[in-house]
Amino acid sequence: MSTSSFDSMVLVDPARHSFVASAQGSEFPLQNLPYGVFMPADGPARVGVAIGAQVLDLAAAAERGWIRSVPRSVLACASLNALARLGRAAWSALRTELVALLAQGSALAGHADAAVLLHDASAVRMALPFDIPGYTDFYASEHHAFNCGVLFRGPENALPPNWKHMPIGYNGRASSVVVSGTPLHRPNGQLPGADGVPSWGPTRALDFELEIGAFIGADTALGHSVAVDEAWSMVFGLVLLNDWSARDVQRWEYVPLGPFQGKAFGTSISPWVVPLDALEPFKVALDPQQPAVLPYLQEREHVSYDVALQVDLQTAEGEQACISTSNLRHLYWSFAQQVAHHTGSGCNLRVGDLLGTGTISGPEPTQLGCLLEMTKAGQQPLQVGAQQRRYLEDGDRVTFRGTASSAQFTIGFGSLTGQILPAR
Amino acid sequence: MSTSSFDSMVLVDPARHSFVASAQGSEFPLQNLPYGVFMPADGPARVGVAIGAQVLDLAAAAERGWIRSVPRSVLACASLNALARLGRAAWSALRTELVALLAQGSALAGHADAAVLLHDASAVRMALPFDIPGYTDFYASEHHAFNCGVLFRGPENALPPNWKHMPIGYNGRASSVVVSGTPLHRPNGQLPGADGVPSWGPTRALDFELEIGAFIGADTALGHSVAVDEAWSMVFGLVLLNDWSARDVQRWEYVPLGPFQGKAFGTSISPWVVPLDALEPFKVALDPQQPAVLPYLQEREHVSYDVALQVDLQTAEGEQACISTSNLRHLYWSFAQQVAHHTGSGCNLRVGDLLGTGTISGPEPTQLGCLLEMTKAGQQPLQVGAQQRRYLEDGDRVTFRGTASSAQFTIGFGSLTGQILPAR
């Protein structure tokens, strides 16, 4: 192990393996160790860690003395909030213990307790990882902002004048954030009509948005702003995020106060929260920002992570295709800049707050993060096997994946999936 | 008592008096009985009810057997969420008990327990009444929307095309909602500059917004929408709300995703939550809506309440003036329509969610609910005694009041006050 950006960062030797055989070559090797909340067949929800095709029960591990750095009560919670609230030093101590516990040669390997502490991932249900007091969605990918701007406002007004000066964001709806696997009904809403007279009914332009979400791991005080170079240390970890959007509703409602019911019906996230420590080997410098940003947004390191993102669409008719490959590196505004801007007014953040990047699109036509961009607002249908799609149909299932790979290992986010049910 | 809009509504005979002498003629007579969370000098926060210049300790009242309809554990909470979650039948049962307990002739009058259960309001501190999972702000007053539209977008685009078709709303920031008396630092933010290049610094256009907030008293399920005529029964009660706003920050940031840091630095609410039962005698019909609204927004009764609202400004120099008198009747969109629209997409509401009306302005120049309107975006300064104000200065204190009066009694919201401290 070595330290990097944070004094307390816990990096795992790429050559080190877990005694859990399925970890090697999987997206959950010893180098990842993402946290989640799971429900075993026979007990209440508690904190777990993914290792290969297994889930380590941290509450049981603490109860039996295998984990000592964090109290069992924290790990027996049905959310990660209490763990996050312990602070970064505790996160590092726990990660250090977990690496030792799950590595080859651990005393747990071959011990009878291993059968108690390790569950087959396929036999447990995953819950929302955090109680989420606030959900904020940014608009941090330039390609996405430009492409959407062209479709909503025309090419001459595509990027609003403020876009290169601040990470634009808005408050999303926290109550309707759901975990992967939760189906969503097609929402009803006001649809724009001829002569400015709207109608009411199921959206005809249901879309997904390919995003990454950051979970905040520390409370800040009201009136206190976070320095941009300190912001990274407040991030507990990242998840895949699908900001489902009803484009017709959104277009009609969003002037002047922003998106509301066009997005409030549901936001899906993946269950495993990947620590920044696990992503550290995949850090990449972002292009310098032009024009220069204001001092409160100027970073020592303007970075993101090289995480390959993929969108699969399985249609109601059973066709399946990968319809997009993007990357978390296609951000203009970093997570740290998002945090610094969010708290710049003195607005307080709380443990469990979720910050979405906004749709992440790359420069190529194959790297677009939503159907709005892919189909040019429904004008150019997408071929999915024998089927065509302008927007999502009832029964369609959207799955996101995210993986970061080196020559020696891959870490991943697992999958984020959601199916569209008919409108009620 | 009689019943009205809700089967279980508890109205109090206007002629009935409390044995608490200060209640008569005050804004907290027997007919009001608003709920709040207070901290006595010698104990933890718990639920209380305002009666005249006194606060009844409901946790202690339950402990000593004076209240039997609601468990003591619910009333010993540091928020009203548990009480609200019991449901409207329980709210009615408790209100019925409280009326009997505090009326003239109650066994509590003259009993030694009265001295234990009743605290001088001046001797206790008030806390935020609810844990607030979500804060949504609407834009429900036509005069305000029109006046602001003229200033932000010009008279020809003042009311956006969607305005008369839906109660426009946006997700506000719940973490920074604070209780009356909490001072706020002038926020920093990006200020628009010449040639589209912003600067960073303390806002030069700090404003208040005169609003009423509704606390939601029931959870709804994701995917379920609330019928507009059922929406009133979900509202636990109302408070005064000040949606502090940095107008320069807001103007620069709000296109295309709506207000964010220009409002996220703080929202103040009054501590006493006035039940709809108390406001029932002051119900007023609103003008019919033209054009007709979509069926999901059509109400049996399109109503608000005749609550006189007042804004006092005390300047840093010690001048004081009433600068606005508006009224809760100046709404175009009712609270029920706000709830129906909010849940129309299937978005779920939760107990403790706070829905703001948006600034409430009347048709007259003396009835404007924010400085933006009063000073025409700072162009026409307001006279406050010997001082002038375009926007708020450091040290200024803004106080809202709200009262509803009949020939026989007045009920009120108490006061909502906040002072501006210098930027950090």
Side-chain angles (χ1 to χ4, degrees):
Chain A
M1 288 174 225
S2 69
T3 60
S4 175
S5 307
F6 316 125
D7 290 345
S8 55
M9 188 161 265
V10 179
L11 302 185
V12 184
D13 182 338
R16 206 159 172 199
H17 285 179
S18 172
F19 74 82
V20 177
S22 60
Q24 276 69 261
S26 87
E27 60 182 321
F28 299 131
L30 194 65
Q31 287 75 19
N32 193 346
L33 303 182
Y35 295 102
V37 172
F38 75 101
M39 288 164 284
D42 59 349
R46 78 277 308 266
V47 176
V49 160
I51 181 77
Q54 305 275 297
V55 175
L56 178 72
D57 180 336
L58 295 200
E63 189 170 311
R64 290 173 184 245
W66 294 97
I67 288 175
R68 298 178 178 279
S69 67
V70 171
R72 181 191 167 279
S73 59
V74 165
L75 301 170
C77 288
S79 78
L80 298 176
N81 297 61
L83 173 60
R85 194 165 277 119
L86 295 179
R88 179 161 284 281
W91 311 345
S92 296
L94 179 58
R95 186 169 166 85
T96 300
E97 267 196 303
L98 289 170
V99 171
L101 183 63
L102 291 169
Q104 282 182 348
S106 157
L108 183 61
H111 191 286
D113 277 1
V116 178
L117 303 189
L118 289 164
H119 297 255
D120 283 344
S122 60
V124 304
R125 280 193 306 139
M126 299 304 298
L128 212 53
F130 275 91
D131 284 332
I132 304 173
Y135 161 45
T136 304
D137 203 22
F138 285 89
Y139 195 44
S141 155
E142 183 175 359
H143 299 293
H144 169 68
F146 182 83
N147 293 339
C148 285
V150 169
L151 295 166
F152 272 59
R153 290 175 295 279
E156 63 286 354
N157 297 308
L159 274 193
N162 52 12
W163 200 90
K164 293 229 164 175
H165 295 285
M166 65 170 73
I168 293 177
Y170 68 98
N171 300 297
R173 179 73 192 174
S175 70
S176 52
V177 178
V178 297
V179 74
S180 177
T182 309
L184 289 171
H185 288 273
R186 175 180 300 272
N188 293 301
Q190 285 201 16
L191 313 180
D195 305 325
V197 178
S199 61
W200 177 261
T203 175
R204 299 172 195 136
L206 186 56
D207 203 353
F208 59 83
E209 290 201 333
L210 174 63
E211 306 193 15
I212 292 285
F215 273 109
I216 297 298
D219 290 322
T220 70
L222 185 64
H224 170 82
S225 42
V226 176
V228 68
D229 288 324
E230 290 166 17
W232 283 108
S233 70
M234 289 181 54
V235 177
F236 184 84
L238 306 184
V239 291
L240 300 165
L241 187 151
N242 184 346
D243 178 34
W244 304 95
S245 299
R247 299 301 186 187
D248 39 9
V249 176
Q250 182 185 354
R251 181 184 281 113
W252 171 239
E253 76 177 359
Y254 89 106
V255 175
L257 299 184
F260 186 46
Q261 293 305 291
K263 288 169 178 282
F265 60 94
T267 303
S268 302
I269 61 171
S270 55
W272 293 111
V273 185
V274 177
L276 294 195
D277 293 21
L279 291 163
E280 178 71 13
F282 306 99
K283 200 187 260 182
V284 285
L286 297 176
D287 288 340
Q289 292 173 307
Q290 285 297 340
V293 297
L294 286 164
Y296 80 106
L297 295 171
Q298 289 170 9
E299 302 169 281
R300 269 199 306 268
E301 281 193 318
H302 182 50
V303 295
S304 185
Y305 300 101
D306 180 12
V307 176
L309 302 172
Q310 177 176 331
V311 181
D312 291 306
L313 176 58
Q314 185 182 344
T315 69
E317 301 86 356
E319 302 283 353
Q320 185 155 7
C322 169
I323 59 173
S324 178
T325 55
S326 185
N327 195 297
L328 180 53
R329 68 192 307 162
H330 298 311
L331 292 184
Y332 189 86
W333 297 104
S334 71
F335 286 107
Q337 290 177 317
Q338 294 169 30
V339 168
H341 184 66
H342 204 322
T343 61
S345 68
C347 175
N348 52 328
L349 292 177
R350 294 188 287 194
V351 168
D353 278 346
L354 176 63
L355 272 52
T357 53
T359 307
I360 305 170
S361 296
E364 303 301 326
T366 56
Q367 297 173 333
L368 304 173
C370 61
L371 290 172
L372 178 77
E373 292 173 78
M374 292 182 203
T375 69
K376 298 212 185 307
Q379 298 166 63
Q380 300 176 4
L382 182 76
Q383 203 69 35
V384 185
Q387 300 295 319
Q388 285 195 333
R389 285 294 181 272
R390 296 171 192 272
Y391 288 105
L392 297 173
E393 302 288 338
D394 293 348
D396 284 358
R397 181 186 293 277
V398 179
T399 302
F400 295 173
R401 291 177 201 282
T403 50
S405 296
S406 69
Q408 292 157 298
F409 64 94
T410 292
I411 68 166
F413 285 73
S415 74
L416 167 59
T417 187
Q419 189 176 26
I420 300 303
L421 304 181
R424 277 179 163 159
Chain B
M1 290 172 221
S2 68
T3 60
S4 176
S5 307
F6 315 127
D7 290 343
S8 55
M9 186 162 266
V10 179
L11 302 184
V12 184
D13 183 339
R16 206 160 173 197
H17 284 179
S18 172
F19 75 83
V20 177
S22 61
Q24 276 67 262
S26 86
E27 60 181 322
F28 300 130
L30 194 65
Q31 288 74 20
N32 194 345
L33 304 183
Y35 295 102
V37 172
F38 76 101
M39 288 165 283
D42 59 350
R46 78 275 310 265
V47 176
V49 160
I51 181 78
Q54 306 275 298
V55 175
L56 178 72
D57 181 337
L58 295 200
E63 189 169 312
R64 290 172 184 246
W66 293 99
I67 288 174
R68 298 178 179 279
S69 66
V70 171
R72 180 190 168 280
S73 59
V74 166
L75 301 169
C77 288
S79 78
L80 298 176
N81 297 60
L83 173 59
R85 195 165 277 119
L86 295 179
R88 179 161 282 283
W91 312 345
S92 296
L94 179 57
R95 185 167 166 84
T96 301
E97 268 196 302
L98 289 170
V99 172
L101 184 63
L102 291 169
Q104 282 182 349
S106 158
L108 183 61
H111 192 288
D113 277 2
V116 179
L117 303 190
L118 289 164
H119 298 256
D120 284 344
S122 60
V124 305
R125 281 193 305 139
M126 299 304 298
L128 211 54
F130 275 91
D131 285 333
I132 303 173
Y135 161 45
T136 303
D137 204 21
F138 285 89
Y139 195 43
S141 155
E142 183 175 358
H143 299 294
H144 170 69
F146 181 83
N147 294 338
C148 284
V150 169
L151 295 165
F152 271 58
R153 289 175 296 277
E156 62 287 353
N157 297 308
L159 275 194
N162 52 11
W163 200 91
K164 294 229 164 175
H165 295 285
M166 67 169 72
I168 293 177
Y170 67 99
N171 300 299
R173 179 73 191 172
S175 70
S176 54
V177 178
V178 297
V179 74
S180 177
T182 309
L184 289 172
H185 289 274
R186 176 180 297 275
N188 293 301
Q190 284 201 16
L191 312 180
D195 305 326
V197 179
S199 61
W200 178 260
T203 175
R204 298 172 195 136
L206 186 56
D207 203 352
F208 59 83
E209 290 201 333
L210 174 63
E211 305 193 16
I212 292 286
F215 273 110
I216 297 298
D219 291 322
T220 70
L222 184 63
H224 170 82
S225 41
V226 177
V228 69
D229 287 324
E230 289 166 19
W232 283 108
S233 70
M234 288 182 54
V235 176
F236 184 84
L238 306 184
V239 291
L240 300 165
L241 187 152
N242 184 345
D243 178 35
W244 304 95
S245 299
R247 299 301 187 187
D248 39 8
V249 176
Q250 182 185 354
R251 182 184 279 113
W252 171 239
E253 77 179 356
Y254 89 105
V255 174
L257 298 184
F260 186 46
Q261 293 306 290
K263 288 171 178 280
F265 59 94
T267 302
S268 301
I269 61 170
S270 54
W272 293 112
V273 184
V274 178
L276 294 195
D277 293 20
L279 291 163
E280 178 71 13
F282 305 99
K283 200 186 261 182
V284 286
L286 297 176
D287 288 340
Q289 292 173 307
Q290 286 295 341
V293 297
L294 286 165
Y296 81 106
L297 295 171
Q298 289 171 9
E299 302 169 282
R300 269 199 307 266
E301 282 193 317
H302 182 50
V303 295
S304 185
Y305 299 102
D306 180 12
V307 176
L309 302 172
Q310 176 176 332
V311 180
D312 291 306
L313 176 58
Q314 184 182 343
T315 70
E317 301 87 356
E319 302 284 352
Q320 184 155 6
C322 169
I323 58 173
S324 179
T325 54
S326 186
N327 195 298
L328 180 52
R329 67 191 309 161
H330 297 312
L331 292 184
Y332 188 85
W333 296 105
S334 71
F335 286 108
Q337 290 176 317
Q338 293 168 32
V339 169
H341 183 66
H342 204 321
T343 61
S345 68
C347 175
N348 52 327
L349 292 177
R350 293 187 289 194
V351 167
D353 278 346
L354 176 62
L355 272 52
T357 53
T359 307
I360 305 170
S361 295
E364 303 300 325
T366 56
Q367 298 174 332
L368 304 173
C370 62
L371 290 171
L372 178 78
E373 291 173 78
M374 292 181 203
T375 69
K376 297 212 187 308
Q379 298 165 63
Q380 301 176 4
L382 182 76
Q383 203 69 34
V384 184
Q387 300 295 320
Q388 286 195 333
R389 285 294 180 274
R390 295 171 192 274
Y391 288 105
L392 296 173
E393 302 288 338
D394 292 348
D396 285 357
R397 182 186 293 277
V398 178
T399 302
F400 294 172
R401 290 177 202 283
T403 50
S405 296
S406 69
Q408 293 158 295
F409 65 94
T410 293
I411 68 167
F413 284 73
S415 73
L416 167 59
T417 187
Q419 190 175 27
I420 300 303
L421 303 180
R424 276 182 163 158

